[in-house]
Amino acid sequence: MLKLSLVRHGETEWNAQHRYQGQSDVPLSSVGRKQVELLARHLRGAKFDAIYASDLKRAWETARIIAAGLGAEIIPEPCLREMSFGVLEGLTFDEAQAQYPDVIAAWLKDYNHPPPEGEMLDAFSGRVLSLLDDLQKKHAEQHVLLVAHGGPLSEMVRLVIGIPPERRWSFAMDNASISELWLGDDDYPLLKKLNETCHLMVLEKREQAD
């Protein structure tokens, strides 16, 4: 059985401002680094046969902090990049609606009509599925850590457990969260964990105290 631990990167300034990030190379914020340090402490002692990470800064830095505590190497994987949102990147949803109303309307009606310079949903889903196939071939009976973005990780879960495409936004993965998928040879994959953030409670208590 292939076990996949799925980690979303820590928070960025654009996350806090609710801006489309996509493939813009936004680094972790100071809050994001604190989140990841807590996550790395939570994972210390875990045994992974391989660690793959998106090569975008926010995911790569997250993986680097985790891997440092494990004494492990990271394999860069472009298929783990977030979906490209083209001209919308850097904008909030309200700003995007104001600047590109027709583009937003067409995109929300059919995600295979992306914003200019953006990525078709089918292409995005295809690269995630291709990565899943490669992981199953290379790492059968192993435990693999994937560090990436909310988009590809949630799409991976959707594909594995068979959620219909129109329900792809039905669950969330918070910053610095961890989820877990088990993939066997049968038709019954298991979602063992989704959006676990208990390791961040210390940070939340500090913020409340401040």
Side-chain angles (χ1 to χ4, degrees):
M1 178 172 287
L2 170 61
K3 297 180 181 180
L4 296 176
S5 289
L6 315 178
V7 164
R8 187 185 175 196
H9 62 79
E11 187 177 276
T12 70
E13 294 292 346
W14 282 16
N15 283 139
Q17 297 165 8
H18 304 289
R19 298 185 181 279
Y20 288 105
Q21 290 186 115
Q23 296 186 10
S24 295
D25 215 2
V26 185
L28 294 178
S29 65
S30 58
V31 170
R33 282 187 288 275
K34 290 177 183 176
Q35 291 175 331
V36 176
E37 287 166 2
L38 290 170
L39 175 57
R41 188 182 307 170
H42 177 69
L43 292 174
R44 196 167 295 157
K47 303 295 183 183
F48 298 109
D49 296 289
I51 300 176
Y52 290 81
S54 161
D55 53 359
L56 296 177
K57 287 178 182 177
R58 57 194 185 274
W60 190 259
E61 185 176 0
T62 297
R64 184 179 56 77
I65 293 170
I66 294 170
L70 300 173
E73 296 184 357
I74 311 166
I75 303 168
E77 179 48 76
C79 284
L80 285 172
R81 291 179 182 178
E82 183 58 277
M83 177 189 287
S84 172
F85 299 118
V87 297
L88 302 186
E89 294 186 10
L91 303 178
T92 65
F93 180 73
D94 288 344
E95 290 169 346
Q97 277 195 312
Q99 295 183 35
Y100 302 101
D102 294 340
V103 167
I104 288 289
W107 188 46
L108 293 179
K109 186 177 180 180
D110 183 353
Y111 287 105
N112 279 311
H113 287 85
E117 303 172 28
E119 186 174 12
M120 290 179 62
L121 187 56
D122 284 352
F124 169 70
S125 184
R127 65 175 162 92
V128 173
L129 184 58
S130 175
L131 175 60
L132 268 173
D133 290 342
D134 286 345
L135 291 173
Q136 287 180 287
K137 291 173 183 175
K138 294 177 181 176
H139 298 287
E141 307 302 321
Q142 293 187 338
H143 190 181
V144 176
L145 175 64
L146 305 179
V147 183
H149 313 266
L153 295 181
S154 60
E155 181 67 1
M156 191 171 291
V157 172
R158 186 195 73 78
L159 290 166
V160 167
I161 65 177
I163 296 175
E166 61 271 17
R167 300 299 301 275
R168 67 179 67 247
W169 313 121
S170 294
F171 56 92
M173 287 186 176
D174 295 331
N175 290 116
S177 66
I178 183 165
S179 303
E180 192 168 297
L181 282 170
W182 288 12
L183 306 175
D185 294 329
D186 53 28
D187 294 327
Y188 298 97
L190 298 176
L191 178 59
K192 294 287 288 185
K193 188 184 301 181
L194 179 65
N195 200 34
E196 181 180 288
T197 57
C198 60
H199 47 278
L200 302 180
M201 290 178 64
V202 173
L203 186 58
E204 293 172 1
K205 290 178 180 177
R206 288 175 188 167
E207 291 174 348
Q208 291 172 1
D210 292 341

